[in-house]
Amino acid sequence: MAVIIAPARTRMTMAALAFIILWGFALSITRYSIPEEMEEGSFVANLATDLGLDVRSLVQRRAKLDVIHSKNYLDINKETGELIIREKIDRESICITKTTSCFLKMDVILENPIRIFNIELEIMDINDNAPLFRRKTMQLDISEATPPGERFSLTNAVDADVGANSIKTYYLSESKYFNIDIQTGSDGSKYVDLVLSGNLDREEHAAHNLILTAVDGGVPPRSGTASIVINVLDINDNAPMFSQPIFAVNVSENSAAGTVVMTLNASDLDEGTNSQVTYSYTLYTSEKTQEVFSLDPNSGEIKVKGVINYEESQSFEMHIQAQDGGRNPLSGHCKVMVFITDLNDNYPEVTIKSVKSALSEDVSVGTLIAVVSVSDRDSGVNGEVALTLNRQKTLPFVLNKSSEGYFELLVAKPLDREMISKYDITLRVTDKGSPPLSENETVTLEILDVNDNAPTFPQSFYTIHVVENNPPGALVTSLSAFDPDLNENQYLVYFIMEKEIVNTSMSMLFSINPENGDLYALKTFDYEREREFLFHIEARDSGVPPLSSNVTVHIIILDQNDNTPLIVSPWRAQGSVVEEVIPRSTDKGHLVAKVIAIDADSEQNSRVTYQLLQISDASLFSLDQYNGEIRTTRMFSYRDPRQQRLVIVAKDNGDPALSATVTIKISTVEHAMSFSETTELPLEYDVFTDLNLYLVIGLGAVSFLLLITILVIIVLKCQKPKPKAIKMPPANRNSVISRNSVISQRSSTIADSTLISSDAYWYSLFLAETRKGKVVVRQPIIPKGAGYFVSSIPRSIGPSETTDSRASTLEQEPRRELP
């Protein structure tokens, strides 16, 4: 119904009339019913249709839903006029009291004009709640004397649902002692009682565990469970019982007071005070027995209280009662027979009459150590005794019976203090009684040391590597020998066994600390002069007489890159420039010059390679990095300058690498007169004659010196005694063999590219020949050198062929084995 706004003078009248009309409309109520737990967005009703409203006016009139005293679970779809679920509705949370009907009241309010519609939404119950017990576990204490038919109330289950969805019945797990009785209250609630259906026996079943299940009437039905724990209370219905009616036990005479004879144990199937057993003598036990033996009333332990003498009484009889602690106590009985056993109660005795506390380890077999006597106060078999040594098989001693009751302790085997330095000799005397008695006596014997062990080194041969250029006084190694003797017999002194090498005493080269065996080098070693040393070190103890042993020490000097390559060809004065002259018409590949450098080091440190450091024209010359040959890479052109400058660096393969440089100035001439490797130079006969004279004189002098040197060497070889060969370890012998094999393999190929000098100085090497008045000069080698390695390695020879600078066909100083 519409409300018309009147003019101002009749406004109050119209407002009152409108209020009365609206109130009348509000009194009309629209009811709906829905089940609980509907999903969000579910359709409830079409309010526009049911209330006779135009759907289009819902938005204009600002339709809204006002829920009374509750949360807003619903909403109006203003486009369709439908009432929909906004949030799931739980009937149990809206209607807390358990009633059959549950309503949700709300108002639909419209404006312009104002209209109010009352809506009641009935929430119908569904079976969404399972029965629930307030107590998951119910404890019941029932006496085993309770008669069958006794009832016990149980806690019922509750179900939040109503009507048919509430609790319908209860079930109890299977039991032959219990069942349940279900009752219905005035409000329809189900109650359950536990009924005892059989006789309980705590000794058979002390506890019963049952499961009570409550089931509702929903579809499908829901259920809930609870545990029933029944503790059966004990009554005193069992008497104490012994395991047997008569006990027999043997007790030795002279048993000490407090000795346990036996412990009685009577069992009672009851529990608590009903099972607490107390032991006591009955009136049938004699007073004498009660004086000799005591009975513990709580533990049932029978102990010796008095003196037991086999000669006075051979047996005792006890009558014992076990009584429980029940209100009406029950008891059980048994008899204990104690038989006394005759005892060998005197121990044999051993007495040391004479003893030595210490013996030297070198005493002879049969040496007397101690005199021992044995005795036993018993008589008969109990008085017969035997004397033995504990662990007889492991001891170097023996007992010898000298007379009745006397024994001698003798040395049976040689003694060794280093094996065992002290003996605890246990003498055991045993009688022949039953049971036999025995007594022990220990003799302590200390073994004195004798210097009978020479010092020993861990190994007989030591190979030690020392890098050359070591500082004087540097520690080479530490040698240590072991002597198992004691005191002064163990104190060791180390020294080097004297030996001369090339008129030099070994003590001038090495020194050893006499106390700890530290070996020091007294000089700086040079690998190019000394390669190895072989000598002996002796360790001597301080005993009387002293004992000693020695060890062989092989010192191997390792090479270090400490020599700079020396350029010997082309020769030039210190700091000067080498000049070479070649014709400008030289073809490509022409050999201009050859740089040769020597390095006194060995192996990788002596490998020399060549590089161009500076060059006027890089396109004109090339340098072979292995043999040092400088060749033209093309022909000279008219644009090329007449003079070319090359700086060549010779570098070894050490770490760090050392190097030397040479500067070569190459001049070109138009004519073919130049010195080269194979170019012949025609000379006039007068020039040839003078030069030939010089050559003959020089060659003759060199030949004479060489002949004298050979004769001197032969004489020295004949006079020098033949050296003893050194027994080298297999590894060293193999290395010598492999080194000689490398020398023989490369001797045929190294002469054309590598020049190796001896340890003596040599002036020059050149070859000259006269052919029809002409002299052919081939690449002069000018400078002097001492022990240098001249390397010019061709590309075809790998690094492995220059590993030993002294392995060459030109070597003049042979390798020697150290004596």
Side-chain angles (χ1 to χ4, degrees):
M1 175 179 287
V3 178
I4 301 173
I5 304 302
R9 63 176 180 269
T10 59
R11 186 172 300 169
M12 295 300 295
T13 305
M14 297 299 294
L17 182 60
F19 178 77
I20 294 172
I21 295 172
L22 290 174
W23 183 257
F25 281 113
L27 291 178
S28 60
I29 299 174
T30 304
R31 291 183 175 84
Y32 299 102
S33 295
I34 62 170
E36 63 175 330
E37 302 294 338
M38 289 182 65
E39 296 294 331
E40 296 179 9
S42 299
F43 174 79
V44 176
N46 193 319
L47 290 179
T49 303
D50 295 341
L51 299 179
L53 300 175
D54 187 0
V55 175
R56 292 171 295 178
S57 65
L58 295 178
V59 177
Q60 297 173 359
R61 300 182 65 180
R62 300 179 184 177
K64 66 178 180 177
L65 191 65
D66 184 17
V67 180
I68 302 173
H69 305 302
S70 181
K71 186 178 178 181
N72 192 0
Y73 292 97
L74 297 99
D75 200 0
I76 299 175
N77 189 337
K78 297 178 182 179
E79 295 179 356
T80 61
E82 294 177 348
L83 182 64
I84 59 176
I85 300 296
R86 180 179 181 181
E87 185 179 341
K88 278 187 177 183
I89 302 173
D90 185 10
R91 181 183 183 281
E92 288 72 30
S93 62
I94 295 175
C95 300
I96 300 175
T97 58
K98 194 171 182 181
T99 58
T100 55
S101 59
C102 178
F103 291 94
L104 186 63
K105 296 182 180 181
M106 63 193 77
D107 293 333
V108 178
I109 302 174
L110 301 176
E111 298 180 1
N112 299 324
I114 295 175
R115 289 194 66 181
I116 300 174
F117 297 93
N118 297 116
I119 305 295
E120 285 188 358
L121 183 63
E122 183 181 7
I123 308 301
M124 294 183 295
D125 184 45
I126 64 173
N127 191 24
D128 58 343
N129 292 282
L132 178 67
F133 286 91
R134 294 186 180 91
R135 293 168 57 189
K136 287 294 184 181
T137 303
M138 291 176 274
Q139 298 278 351
L140 293 177
D141 293 332
I142 303 176
S143 173
E144 63 178 329
T146 303
E150 190 73 21
R151 303 173 69 91
F152 303 93
S153 297
L154 300 176
T155 302
N156 359 321
V158 294
D159 194 328
D161 296 326
V162 296
N165 296 326
S166 61
I167 296 175
K168 181 179 180 181
T169 187
Y170 291 89
Y171 297 100
L172 184 67
S173 58
E174 184 178 356
S175 173
K176 66 178 182 178
Y177 297 100
F178 298 95
N179 55 39
I180 56 174
D181 182 22
I182 303 172
Q183 299 181 8
T184 304
S186 58
D187 58 351
S189 301
K190 302 292 184 179
Y191 301 96
V192 62
D193 289 336
L194 184 67
V195 181
L196 180 63
S197 59
N199 292 315
L200 298 177
D201 187 353
R202 191 205 61 80
E203 288 72 34
E204 183 179 350
H205 289 96
H208 298 267
N209 294 313
L210 306 175
I211 301 297
L212 181 63
T213 303
V215 181
D216 62 21
V219 179
R222 292 178 177 266
S223 62
T225 60
S227 298
I228 303 174
V229 179
I230 300 170
N231 297 315
V232 181
L233 302 180
D234 184 51
I235 62 172
N236 191 23
D237 56 346
N238 293 279
M241 293 182 62
F242 290 96
S243 58
Q244 58 191 67
I246 299 175
F247 295 92
V249 62
N250 295 320
V251 178
S252 300
E253 68 169 330
N254 299 328
S255 294
T259 302
V260 177
V261 177
M262 69 173 299
T263 300
L264 296 172
N265 184 20
S267 59
D268 193 320
L269 298 179
D270 296 324
E271 66 176 0
T273 57
N274 297 330
S275 65
Q276 294 177 0
V277 178
T278 302
Y279 302 91
S280 62
Y281 290 117
T282 67
L283 297 176
Y284 299 108
T285 304
S286 66
E287 293 182 0
K288 182 180 179 181
T289 302
Q290 296 183 33
E291 290 175 356
V292 176
F293 299 98
S294 64
L295 175 63
D296 190 301
N298 296 319
S299 64
E301 193 175 60
I302 301 174
K303 295 182 180 180
V304 175
K305 184 170 66 172
V307 177
I308 301 176
N309 193 339
Y310 176 80
E311 288 70 27
E312 292 182 3
S313 180
Q314 288 77 39
S315 64
F316 295 90
E317 183 176 317
M318 298 178 236
H319 296 268
I320 297 174
Q321 170 184 278
Q323 185 174 345
D324 62 25
R327 179 176 297 180
N328 297 314
L330 303 177
S331 62
H333 299 82
C334 74
K335 183 170 68 173
V336 177
M337 296 296 298
V338 179
F339 298 97
I340 308 303
T341 304
D342 189 20
L343 187 64
N344 180 25
D345 52 356
N346 290 291
Y347 284 84
E349 296 179 354
V350 56
T351 305
I352 306 297
K353 297 297 184 180
S354 175
V355 65
K356 293 180 181 178
S357 60
L359 282 180
S360 177
E361 63 176 324
D362 60 348
V363 297
S364 60
V365 175
T367 300
L368 178 65
I369 300 173
V371 176
V372 183
S373 67
V374 292
S375 62
D376 194 322
R377 289 179 297 173
D378 292 327
S379 60
V381 177
N382 294 334
E384 296 179 6
V385 295
L387 183 65
T388 58
L389 289 177
N390 277 358
R391 300 182 293 113
Q392 171 72 58
K393 294 182 180 180
T394 62
L395 293 176
F397 309 108
V398 67
L399 283 171
N400 182 32
K401 188 173 182 180
S402 59
S403 61
E404 187 64 31
Y406 284 87
F407 292 85
E408 294 178 343
L409 180 63
L410 307 174
V411 176
K413 298 177 183 177
L415 303 178
D416 188 354
R417 189 208 62 81
E418 287 70 38
M419 296 293 292
I420 301 177
S421 61
K422 183 179 179 182
Y423 290 93
D424 290 326
I425 308 170
T426 301
L427 303 171
R428 184 180 183 88
V429 58
T430 307
D431 63 21
K432 296 183 179 180
S434 180
L437 297 178
S438 62
E439 190 68 40
N440 296 332
E441 184 70 27
T442 301
V443 176
T444 300
L445 180 64
E446 184 178 357
I447 308 301
L448 302 180
D449 185 48
V450 174
N451 191 26
D452 57 346
N453 291 281
T456 58
F457 287 90
Q459 55 193 79
S460 61
F461 192 93
Y462 288 87
T463 300
I464 303 164
H465 297 85
V466 179
V467 180
E468 66 171 332
N469 300 321
N470 58 290
L475 178 65
V476 175
T477 187
S478 182
L479 302 175
S480 178
F482 173 73
D483 193 321
D485 292 325
L486 283 180
N487 302 326
E488 65 275 359
N489 299 330
Q490 187 187 37
Y491 299 147
L492 302 182
V493 178
Y494 302 88
F495 58 89
I496 299 174
M497 300 178 69
E498 283 300 331
K499 175 182 178 182
E500 289 190 357
I501 298 179
V502 193
N503 299 325
T504 302
S505 174
M506 190 59 62
S507 60
M508 301 294 291
L509 301 176
F510 299 96
S511 173
I512 190 168
N513 188 320
E515 295 181 356
N516 57 23
D518 288 345
L519 183 65
Y520 298 92
L522 298 181
K523 60 166 287 187
T524 300
F525 297 112
D526 186 358
Y527 176 83
E528 287 70 40
R529 294 182 180 274
E530 303 109 349
R531 296 293 179 88
E532 58 186 7
F533 301 96
L534 192 68
F535 55 92
H536 300 283
I537 291 178
E538 181 175 303
R540 181 182 299 167
D541 62 27
S542 302
V544 180
L547 300 177
S548 64
S549 64
N550 61 70
V551 65
T552 302
V553 178
H554 185 202
I555 304 292
I556 299 176
I557 308 302
L558 301 180
D559 185 40
Q560 197 176 45
N561 191 26
D562 56 345
N563 291 281
T564 303
L566 177 65
I567 297 176
V568 299
S569 177
W571 170 250
R572 87 282 189 207
Q574 183 67 28
S576 61
V577 177
V578 178
E579 295 188 0
E580 296 284 346
V581 178
I582 60 174
R584 291 186 66 85
S585 60
T586 299
D587 294 333
K588 175 183 178 182
H590 176 74
L591 177 64
V592 177
K594 184 171 183 177
V595 179
I596 300 177
I598 59 177
D599 194 316
D601 293 321
S602 66
E603 299 181 353
Q604 294 297 322
N605 295 330
S606 65
R607 283 189 56 195
V608 179
T609 56
Y610 305 91
Q611 297 177 2
L612 281 169
L613 190 60
Q614 295 180 9
I615 185 170
S616 301
D617 188 350
S619 65
L620 190 55
F621 301 100
S622 66
L623 172 66
D624 192 301
Q625 64 172 338
Y626 297 109
N627 58 26
E629 293 181 351
I630 303 173
R631 296 182 181 271
T632 58
T633 57
R634 61 176 177 83
M635 295 184 65
F636 287 90
S637 66
Y638 69 94
R639 295 181 180 178
D640 294 328
R642 293 185 177 277
Q643 292 184 348
Q644 300 286 336
R645 184 174 180 273
L646 285 71
V647 178
I648 312 299
V649 59
K651 183 186 298 185
D652 61 25
N653 199 34
D655 185 17
L658 302 177
S659 62
T661 60
V662 62
T663 303
I664 302 176
K665 181 179 178 182
I666 301 175
S667 301
T668 59
V669 295
E670 297 296 338
H671 302 287
M673 292 181 60
S674 62
F675 295 97
S676 65
E677 184 181 16
T678 57
T679 304
E680 297 181 354
L681 176 64
L683 301 175
E684 298 295 335
Y685 279 101
D686 53 351
V687 177
F688 170 74
T689 301
D690 295 336
L691 182 59
N692 193 23
L693 178 61
Y694 299 148
L695 292 175
V696 170
I697 293 173
L699 188 58
V702 171
S703 301
F704 178 74
L705 292 175
L706 181 60
L707 180 60
I708 294 298
T709 303
I710 294 174
L711 291 175
V712 171
I713 291 173
I714 292 174
V715 172
L716 293 176
K717 286 288 185 179
C718 293
Q719 292 180 353
K720 188 174 182 180
K722 185 177 180 181
K724 296 181 180 180
I726 299 175
K727 293 183 179 181
M728 300 180 66
N732 293 343
R733 291 200 298 268
N734 294 338
S735 65
V736 172
I737 294 172
S738 63
R739 186 185 310 164
N740 292 338
S741 65
V742 172
I743 293 172
S744 62
Q745 290 173 6
R746 70 181 182 187
S747 60
S748 62
T749 60
I750 198 171
D752 62 330
S753 60
T754 305
L755 186 58
I756 301 176
S757 69
S758 68
D759 290 339
Y761 291 99
W762 54 284
Y763 174 71
S764 63
L765 178 64
F766 62 90
L767 299 175
E769 59 177 328
T770 304
R771 292 191 307 183
K772 297 179 182 181
K774 297 181 181 180
V775 175
V776 179
V777 182
R778 297 184 184 273
Q779 202 169 353
I781 306 300
I782 306 300
K784 297 180 180 179
Y788 290 105
F789 177 82
V790 184
S791 175
S792 180
I793 305 173
R795 297 181 186 271
S796 60
I797 300 176
S800 62
E801 295 195 46
T802 61
T803 57
D804 193 343
S805 64
R806 292 181 180 268
S808 170
T809 56
L810 300 180
E811 185 174 2
Q812 295 184 7
E813 179 179 328
R815 296 176 62 87
R816 304 187 185 95
E817 289 186 346
L818 295 176

